[in-house]
Amino acid sequence: MPKKFAQPKILRRGFRVVALGGGTGLSTLLRGLKEHCVRRSDDHPTPERPISDLVAIVTVTDDGGSSGRLRRENRILPPGDIRNCMVALSKDEALLGRLFQYRFKAGRGLIGHNFGNLFLAALTHITGDFAEAVRVSSKVLAIRGRIFPSTLENVHLVATLENGRIVHGETRITASNSPIKKIALSSPNVRPLPLAIEAIRTADLILLGPGSLYTSILPNLLIPEIARAIINSRAPRVYIANLMTQPGETAGYVLADHLRAIQRHVLSKNSPRRVIDYVVANNQPVSAAVARRYRSEGADPVAVELGALQKLGFRVIQDNLLEEHTVIRHNTRRLARLLLDNFLRKP
């Protein structure tokens, strides 16, 4: 059974929250949480703004699109997911955020690149350090929080598929037709960024997801020191479930399957103890029209089978977290408030 946690009072120093992941899922989560961060380092935390330190630990295994091109041509870590997190945490998303997200639509060599990716690539070459480039870029955007790559090593994903094939690289893995049996990093002993480990060790709340199971969530947990730090943490460890399955990764998965995959990849290597205590999931049905459109693309709503989750020992918290526009996303404000009400507020 998961550990029991008392609802905390507002700490005088405020709460330290760590979120791990990648892709659009992590930036969606951060966008809601930043509204509950103290605005300046010398501000006192309040019930509405109880977070004094918000840290994003971001996977760096992307090898597609603009990030993949910069990775191959400039020998830097992929900047795309980190750029999305910086924009999500920025003080003024409407101005500088739009600039960092601007994608060039013409120009030999420029087409397809994001300005923010190029900015991070240039700063990496100037400073000689990708983590320092992220720190300086974060100052430019005046972000509320801190962003760390999970590692500074140039690693990629290796998948063993159910049909026995071994596939290298995130892009090829997600394009494969056979289900994923196992995912691994190209190097088994990847070293994490020390600041990321320190953030996990001092965290009052650890969040995993939402995001692609095999290409956003698990890559961070496959770094042994990160997994051990989360396993040894006394903070509540919360998995935020995806709204939809993902073709090429989790087609046909129910929510319990996502959690079994995490346990299968992490527990056997590091400890018999779990890395997740709570599961946060949506309980609002997707509209029929949107569900049909997603189904035509090979995606379905992630089924939440409470009995299976409870049998696995997880505590489940459900609410209406759905937001439908042209795409399905988590409602950032409702998700942030649910997390605050359940983990960072006095009862």
Side-chain angles (χ1 to χ4, degrees):
M1 291 294 291
K3 297 176 287 187
K4 292 184 178 180
F5 300 95
Q7 291 270 358
K9 296 180 180 180
I10 300 297
L11 296 180
R12 179 171 295 181
R13 60 165 171 77
F15 291 101
R16 300 174 181 136
V17 178
V18 172
L20 299 95
T24 58
L26 180 58
S27 56
T28 296
L29 172 66
L30 297 174
R31 189 169 284 110
L33 289 176
K34 81 173 178 184
E35 299 302 328
H36 302 280
C37 291
V38 293
R39 293 187 181 277
R40 299 187 303 271
S41 59
D42 57 347
D43 282 350
H44 294 293
T46 66
E48 188 58 29
R49 298 184 183 277
I51 301 173
S52 59
D53 187 30
L54 177 58
V55 173
I57 299 175
V58 188
T59 184
V60 285
T61 54
D62 187 10
D63 63 358
S66 171
S67 287
R69 287 167 58 193
L70 289 170
R71 185 177 189 178
R72 291 186 297 273
E73 296 167 7
N74 291 268
R75 296 182 176 274
I76 67 167
L77 291 176
D81 286 353
I82 286 176
R83 181 202 76 240
N84 285 333
C85 290
M86 287 194 300
V87 171
L89 289 175
S90 66
K91 183 178 179 180
D92 187 358
E93 278 192 71
L95 181 58
L96 284 175
R98 285 178 59 194
L99 175 63
F100 266 61
Q101 294 291 55
Y102 177 78
R103 187 180 298 273
F104 292 92
K105 298 177 177 62
R108 188 172 181 179
L110 278 178
I111 189 168
H113 277 305
N114 291 88
F115 173 82
N117 287 359
L118 297 176
F119 189 88
L120 276 167
L123 267 179
T124 299
H125 287 294
I126 289 169
T127 63
D129 186 295
F130 185 78
E132 178 64 9
V134 173
R135 188 189 70 81
V136 173
S137 300
S138 297
K139 287 183 68 175
V140 170
L141 286 172
I143 73 167
R144 293 182 197 162
R146 297 184 290 160
I147 300 170
F148 301 131
S150 56
T151 180
L152 294 179
E153 296 184 29
N154 188 13
V155 294
H156 64 267
L157 293 175
V158 182
T160 303
L161 305 182
E162 291 287 355
N163 63 10
R165 285 182 58 217
I166 306 296
V167 182
H168 291 257
E170 180 177 318
T171 303
R172 291 189 181 94
I173 291 168
T174 56
S176 300
N177 293 322
S178 180
I180 298 169
K181 181 178 181 180
K182 181 184 176 183
I183 200 87
L185 296 177
S186 52
S187 174
N189 296 306
V190 176
R191 293 169 298 174
L193 194 73
L195 285 170
I197 296 298
E198 180 62 23
I200 294 170
R201 286 176 178 162
T202 59
D204 300 301
L205 177 64
I206 297 172
L207 305 172
L208 297 127
S212 302
L213 174 63
Y214 288 103
T215 55
S216 291
I217 308 302
L218 277 170
N220 290 321
L221 298 176
L222 292 174
I223 300 174
E225 276 191 68
I226 287 182
R228 283 196 293 271
I230 296 173
I231 286 168
N232 292 329
S233 175
R234 297 178 62 84
R237 299 158 304 178
V238 182
Y239 177 73
I240 302 167
N242 290 343
L243 300 169
M244 306 294 292
T245 62
Q246 186 171 355
E249 289 201 37
T250 56
Y253 277 36
V254 299
L255 180 50
D257 293 326
H258 291 72
L259 293 156
R260 289 190 190 100
I262 291 173
Q263 292 185 158
R264 185 172 68 249
H265 280 81
V266 177
L267 299 193
S268 60
K269 287 186 176 181
N270 297 277
S271 166
R273 294 169 56 199
R274 63 174 68 244
V275 292
I276 294 166
D277 306 295
Y278 293 86
V279 178
V280 167
N282 171 59
N283 63 5
Q284 176 71 15
V286 177
S287 68
V290 173
R292 281 195 300 272
R293 179 163 59 82
Y294 269 82
R295 193 171 297 116
S296 70
E297 300 169 358
D300 292 287
V302 174
V304 181
E305 298 177 347
L306 289 175
L309 293 168
Q310 290 164 353
K311 189 174 181 179
L312 289 170
F314 298 108
R315 297 184 181 185
V316 184
I317 300 170
Q318 288 186 276
D319 204 342
N320 175 9
L321 302 175
L322 182 66
E323 188 166 290
E324 289 189 12
H325 294 297
T326 54
V327 294
I328 289 175
R329 293 281 185 266
H330 285 83
N331 183 290
T332 59
R333 291 184 178 180
R334 287 200 295 267
L335 176 57
R337 193 160 294 279
L338 179 148
L339 294 169
L340 262 66
D341 289 345
N342 281 275
F343 301 105
L344 301 182
R345 293 194 196 278
K346 180 179 176 182

